[in-house]
Amino acid sequence: MNHRSVSLLLLMCILSPLGAQSMSLADAIKQAKAYNTDAQNAAITLSQKLNEAQINEYLPSIRLSAGATAQASLLDASYSANISPTATLSFSLSSANRYTDEQQSLSAQSAQSNYASTMQQIELAVTTAYWNVVAAELSLQMQQLEVAQKQEALERVRSEYEGGETTTLAVSQAELSLADAKLSKGSRERNLQEAKDQLSLLTGATVEGKLDDLLPIGELESLDALLALASSTTTIKKSELALEQAKLAYLEAQASSASPILSLDASTSFAANLSTTASTLRDATTVGVTISIPVDAYLKNSKANITLKNLDSDIEVAENTLEAGKKTLASSITSAYRSIEEAKKTIDYLGDYELLAQQSADLSQRAYDAGEISYRELAESQKSLSQAHLSLLAEQVNHTLLIHELAHLLQVPTTTLYKES
């Protein structure tokens, strides 16, 4: 573990409530997906699209019907009854519909892609809100520790004053320093509550207990290796599906308006008349084959001709959109990657600065104890150390968020981004 994380982990161990139920990021995302109405609607829409994709367009149409009559004569004591059941089965096939299965498959894939995209947006929103809570908690814990230190320092100065070893100015300065620390503590408490409220709004759950630790400062995989993962993301797959749908729309229009169409219609029926006096059974079967040759598409400026031209242009637009999407995603991945590398350098710098601030604070404490500097100078040195702690924490949180941003862009777990140790 690097020295920059030690103080944060110690604070968490000292100040986190024992026995509190933890709430991991994975738990928060799971709760948000179950609670979020957008997620619920996306799941319903996906189910509808998958049901539609299972429709069998080639099933025959079946119709059953029956009628019954009865008559009787009281004078000659006669009666008769008859039932007339009918069954008809028919189906129709056309070569213009040969892309139906492919269209249904693409529709199902598109629905799944849209669902995945919705889930990823929810994950990103929850992830950001979650780490904002973690950052606010750590910030508050630091400030709580500072308030405790300032309170202890004030009591020590008061004791020294009562012993005639210091002045009323030092006591006043210590009191002011404690008041400033308490004021900052109140501000950070409000920030924490606001962050928790935002996370609760997304998850529908009360934020309590220990949260996850910040992500480690590890060595990332090479940029080229991560860029190679981009082709399997939903972002690219959605554009690829749009291109396939544009191509299919052109083929469907061409099949119905610019190619010979072979149609087959067939039906068979059975009709019976079951009577107390006589019974009959009839059947009838018809088969029709039609070949039609549309010519509208070959006429300049006809509706069919313009439609095909526009659909062909749609393919070009979809291809351009796909290429632009690949470039945009690659640029976003590269930017996130470089931001992470820059954050790591900043964390190293701030870690070194924190050590210098700690040394300065220790020297100031010894100088104050020796009566060489005023309490105000000591407080300024301690304030610089507190700011160094806070700056380091802010950059560590920023690093964690950047890691999740890159993982979101690539749609992989954060562990995939790191080199194997």
Side-chain angles (χ1 to χ4, degrees):
M1 181 181 297
N2 58 56
H3 63 82
R4 292 173 293 278
S5 301
V6 172
S7 60
L8 295 179
L9 294 179
L10 285 174
L11 280 170
M12 292 178 69
C13 292
I14 293 171
L15 299 172
S16 295
L18 296 177
Q21 184 178 4
S22 63
M23 181 183 188
S24 68
L25 175 58
D27 290 337
I29 291 174
K30 182 178 179 181
Q31 290 174 351
K33 288 181 178 179
Y35 172 77
N36 189 282
T37 53
D38 289 339
Q40 295 169 8
N41 290 339
I44 293 171
T45 301
L46 174 61
S47 178
Q48 292 173 334
K49 294 298 183 182
L50 294 179
N51 288 338
E52 291 174 2
Q54 295 176 359
I55 295 175
N56 188 344
E57 298 286 352
Y58 304 110
L59 286 177
S61 174
I62 301 174
R63 180 177 180 181
L64 301 175
S65 63
T69 60
Q71 58 184 11
S73 174
L74 298 178
L75 297 177
D76 56 9
S78 64
Y79 68 93
S80 64
N82 69 291
I83 301 175
S84 303
T86 303
T88 303
L89 183 147
S90 63
F91 65 91
S92 179
L93 300 176
S94 173
S95 60
N97 299 326
R98 58 183 177 271
Y99 298 107
T100 299
D101 289 343
E102 188 174 351
Q103 178 62 46
Q104 290 177 327
S105 176
L106 286 177
S107 179
Q109 292 178 52
S110 179
Q112 290 170 330
S113 180
N114 290 335
Y115 175 78
S117 180
T118 300
M119 294 300 102
Q120 287 152 15
Q121 291 302 320
I122 292 173
E123 286 185 21
L124 181 61
V126 173
T127 298
T128 301
Y130 185 91
W131 290 117
N132 284 341
V133 174
V134 172
E137 281 195 338
L138 290 173
S139 177
L140 175 59
Q141 289 171 2
M142 283 185 174
Q143 194 60 32
Q144 288 172 333
L145 185 59
E146 182 176 341
V147 168
Q149 292 171 341
K150 297 295 184 184
Q151 182 67 51
E152 181 182 352
L154 174 60
E155 293 173 359
R156 185 170 63 251
V157 171
R158 282 174 175 170
S159 176
E160 292 171 353
Y161 173 75
E162 292 173 357
E165 300 176 3
T166 189
T167 65
T168 56
L169 177 61
V171 175
S172 176
Q173 290 173 337
E175 290 174 340
L176 180 60
S177 181
L178 175 60
D180 287 340
K182 288 182 177 181
L183 185 63
S184 295
K185 175 175 171 287
S187 176
R188 296 184 190 186
E189 286 174 339
R190 290 189 294 273
N191 291 340
L192 174 57
Q193 188 57 54
E194 290 174 359
K196 285 185 174 182
D197 289 344
Q198 180 60 32
L199 184 56
S200 294
L201 183 64
L202 292 170
T203 62
T206 302
V207 183
E208 294 179 341
K210 185 179 181 301
L211 304 183
D212 291 346
D213 295 331
L214 296 174
L215 295 180
I217 313 297
E219 189 70 22
L220 295 179
E221 292 282 358
S222 69
L223 177 58
D224 289 340
L226 296 179
L227 285 171
L229 301 176
S231 59
S232 60
T233 62
T234 300
T235 303
I236 300 303
K237 287 190 176 299
K238 286 178 69 173
S239 294
E240 290 175 341
L241 282 172
L243 174 58
E244 292 302 314
Q245 288 174 324
K247 290 179 178 179
L248 185 58
Y250 178 84
L251 292 175
E252 287 179 324
Q254 188 179 52
S256 61
S257 64
S259 301
I261 299 173
L262 175 64
S263 300
L264 171 65
D265 295 288
S267 66
T268 183
S269 62
F270 296 89
N273 188 0
L274 307 178
S275 174
T276 54
T277 57
S279 298
T280 59
L281 177 64
R282 301 184 308 275
D283 71 295
T285 300
T286 60
V287 177
V289 178
T290 304
I291 298 178
S292 59
I293 303 176
V295 296
D296 287 356
Y298 301 100
L299 301 178
K300 187 178 181 180
N301 294 332
S302 67
K303 181 178 180 180
N305 180 268
I306 297 300
T307 298
L308 283 174
K309 287 182 178 180
N310 287 342
L311 289 174
D312 188 48
S313 298
D314 287 343
I315 295 175
E316 185 177 359
V317 170
E319 290 174 339
N320 292 337
T321 301
L322 173 59
E323 290 305 313
K326 288 180 178 179
K327 292 178 181 178
T328 299
L329 180 58
S331 176
S332 298
I333 291 171
T334 301
S335 177
Y337 186 91
R338 290 175 178 168
S339 294
I340 292 171
E341 294 297 296
E342 188 64 30
K344 288 167 60 178
K345 293 178 182 179
T346 303
I347 288 171
D348 287 337
Y349 167 78
L350 290 175
D352 294 337
Y353 181 84
E354 181 188 35
L355 290 177
L356 293 175
Q358 183 66 62
Q359 293 172 2
S360 177
D362 292 341
L363 290 173
S364 296
Q365 183 65 56
R366 287 197 288 269
Y368 174 77
D369 293 340
E372 299 174 355
I373 61 174
S374 67
Y375 185 84
R376 177 178 290 278
E377 292 173 301
L378 173 62
E380 286 296 324
S381 178
Q382 292 173 339
K383 184 177 181 180
S384 295
L385 176 59
S386 176
Q387 290 174 339
H389 281 316
L390 195 59
S391 296
L392 178 57
L393 169 62
E395 196 58 36
Q396 287 174 321
V397 172
N398 179 51
H399 172 269
T400 291
L401 289 172
L402 287 170
I403 288 289
H404 278 283
E405 178 186 345
L406 181 57
H408 171 75
L409 289 170
L410 293 169
Q411 295 165 16
V412 297
T414 55
T415 52
T416 303
L417 305 180
Y418 294 99
K419 288 183 178 179
E420 295 183 3
S421 55

